[in-house]
Amino acid sequence: MKTQDPGCGASPADRSHPCFWRLHLVLLCVALLSGCRAQTPAQDPVVEFTKIPPAAQGGRERVDEVAGRVSGARPGQQIVVYARSGPWWVQPWPDKPFIPIKADGTWSTPTHLGFEYAALLVDPGYHPPPTIDTAPMRGGSVVAVEMVKGTGGVQLAPTKPLKFSGYDWNIRTIAGDRGGLNNFYDADNAWTDDTGALHLRMKKRDGRWACAEAELSRSLGYGTYIITVRDVTHLESAAVLSLNTFDDWGGDQHFRELDVELSRWGDADNKNNAQYGVQPFYIPGNLAPFTVPAGTLTHVMHWEAGRASFKTVRGASVQPGAPVVSEHVFTSQVPTQGQEKFQLLFYVVESHTNPLQSQNEVVIEKFQYLP
């Protein structure tokens, strides 16, 4: 008697037949494997650096090249580069922020120097801000981000030393972006006279205004800052005298900037020619405008944890009874102390209606600090 083959000679439609279950097991495995392949996500694009500039304090005068490559980019995507020197600045200029990706995936661009560099892979339609306070992050139209520190030891911008009111100050010598202009800064625009008073000046150089900046050589932290300034009502509306703290490393706290600023901000009709402020300035309540009269005034800023108190009085001292011009207290957005340094800045603000016309000068009689 011939024994029936238990293989596939019988009809697979018979559920009791081994072929029925074997066939369905094979089909199930195929389906599962196909599903796994369909759910495997596409690999994320990767941005990397192949040429990294030095770690240096930025300025208009120093430019290098930064380069890299990207894998996994889609058609239409481009690279945007930022360099951090204080804020993060888009490179090489705000009106030229996009860097094309070549057919082989490489990219390169001139850049001003910074302490760190960031390369962003962005979708079409992305609008990079000229500056940002904190490191750029992936999200939205920013598809990928890679950050690196500059090469070598940190190179600080060259400065000129100056003694004033018993403190050591550094006078800026390279360009800066205060006031919406890429201003020149000239060490010859800051000096002390025979009485010990500090003079800050804006003067034409090579057809452009050169400004003045003096920064303390060390951080003082919480305490009371007292600055006596001679009459500023003669200043043109595009001139700004800023008495402020600033921390190049404090982007997460808006650079720990607290300000007494004397200016009409390019508007000759502005009735207020001064303001106190904490950053960011665009948040309601972070600016307190006021009007300073003619004559010598003393500005006081008392900074403590969670509180910044400002006062301006007539005369060269803050003795009891000194006539108060203005005062204000901030208890919101007040930064903690860090690596900030006190600065005395005299610069030009951009103004289409009232551009600076002639040389301007201010005199700061003395600076005091009380812990």
Side-chain angles (χ1 to χ4, degrees):
M1 173 187 245
K2 185 176 180 182
T3 305
Q4 184 175 355
D5 182 4
C8 292
S11 171
D14 183 358
R15 290 177 180 268
S16 64
H17 197 281
C19 278
F20 177 87
W21 299 108
R22 190 180 305 164
L23 177 61
H24 280 72
L25 180 61
V26 171
L27 293 175
L28 179 60
C29 290
V30 170
L32 288 173
L33 289 173
S34 299
C36 289
R37 285 196 295 269
Q39 293 173 14
T40 299
Q43 185 176 3
D44 290 337
V46 176
V47 180
E48 60 181 318
F49 289 88
T50 57
K51 185 177 188 303
I52 304 171
Q57 191 168 8
R60 178 174 182 153
E61 295 84 353
R62 299 193 64 187
V63 177
D64 207 315
E65 183 184 58
V66 61
R69 66 170 61 93
V70 58
S71 60
R74 297 191 300 271
Q77 291 179 334
Q78 299 183 87
I79 294 292
V80 171
V81 168
Y82 281 88
R84 187 182 73 78
S85 181
W88 291 83
W89 302 88
V90 71
Q91 299 300 319
W93 299 105
D95 60 345
K96 297 179 180 179
F98 296 109
I99 304 157
I101 301 170
K102 299 177 183 177
D104 62 357
T106 61
W107 55 267
S108 64
T109 182
T111 180
H112 297 87
L113 300 187
F115 304 123
E116 296 178 85
Y117 302 90
L120 288 59
L121 178 65
V122 301
D123 284 330
Y126 176 67
H127 299 287
T131 65
I132 49 180
D133 288 351
T134 56
M137 298 179 63
R138 177 180 173 180
S141 296
V142 180
V143 180
V145 177
E146 179 68 10
M147 288 186 291
V148 294
K149 294 186 181 299
T151 59
V154 173
Q155 305 171 32
L156 298 179
T159 58
K160 175 184 175 182
L162 181 72
K163 283 193 174 292
F164 166 57
S165 283
Y167 290 88
D168 293 321
W169 301 77
N170 295 317
I171 309 303
R172 189 181 183 96
T173 62
I174 66 170
D177 291 87
R178 285 280 187 165
L181 295 175
N182 199 316
N183 286 315
F184 288 119
Y185 284 81
D186 195 326
D188 292 338
N189 285 338
W191 71 95
T192 55
D193 61 26
D194 293 341
T195 69
L198 174 65
H199 294 245
L200 301 177
R201 175 181 64 187
M202 284 183 289
K203 184 179 180 180
K204 272 283 180 72
R205 189 187 85 184
D206 300 327
R208 295 188 57 180
W209 293 108
C211 307
E213 174 184 318
E215 181 182 78
L216 270 179
S217 63
R218 60 189 178 94
S219 175
L220 300 177
Y222 291 148
T224 303
Y225 298 78
I226 305 170
I227 311 97
T228 299
V229 183
R230 293 180 190 168
D231 183 24
V232 296
T233 56
H234 65 284
L235 297 179
E236 292 184 50
S237 60
V240 180
L241 175 62
S242 181
L243 319 171
N244 64 271
T245 57
F246 193 85
D247 182 357
D248 279 312
W249 310 95
D252 59 332
Q253 293 199 44
H254 305 286
F255 306 100
R256 293 185 168 87
E257 185 174 347
L258 303 169
D259 306 275
V260 178
E261 297 176 305
L262 308 173
S263 179
R264 296 185 187 276
W265 302 103
D267 182 3
D269 296 325
N270 189 349
K271 294 181 180 180
N272 295 312
N273 59 355
Q275 64 186 22
Y276 308 127
V278 299
Q279 298 299 321
F281 69 88
Y282 50 79
I283 292 182
N286 279 11
L287 292 178
F290 63 102
T291 302
V292 296
T296 297
L297 300 173
T298 297
H299 306 278
V300 182
M301 180 185 77
H302 178 71
W303 181 25
E304 57 188 307
R307 185 182 179 92
S309 306
F310 293 84
K311 179 187 289 188
T312 297
V313 301
R314 290 181 181 268
S317 71
V318 288
Q319 297 298 323
V324 176
V325 173
S326 182
E327 55 187 329
H328 189 84
V329 177
F330 297 97
T331 57
S332 178
Q333 303 289 324
V334 177
T336 60
Q337 62 183 354
Q339 300 181 63
E340 74 292 326
K341 296 176 182 177
F342 200 82
Q343 297 178 330
L344 307 170
L345 307 178
F346 194 43
Y347 65 93
V348 185
V349 71
E350 186 172 22
S351 174
H352 297 292
T353 56
N354 297 286
L356 200 70
Q357 298 294 319
S358 58
Q359 179 173 308
N360 281 244
E361 185 176 321
V362 293
V363 180
I364 300 173
E365 290 191 358
K366 60 184 176 182
F367 168 85
Q368 296 173 276
Y369 168 76
L370 304 174

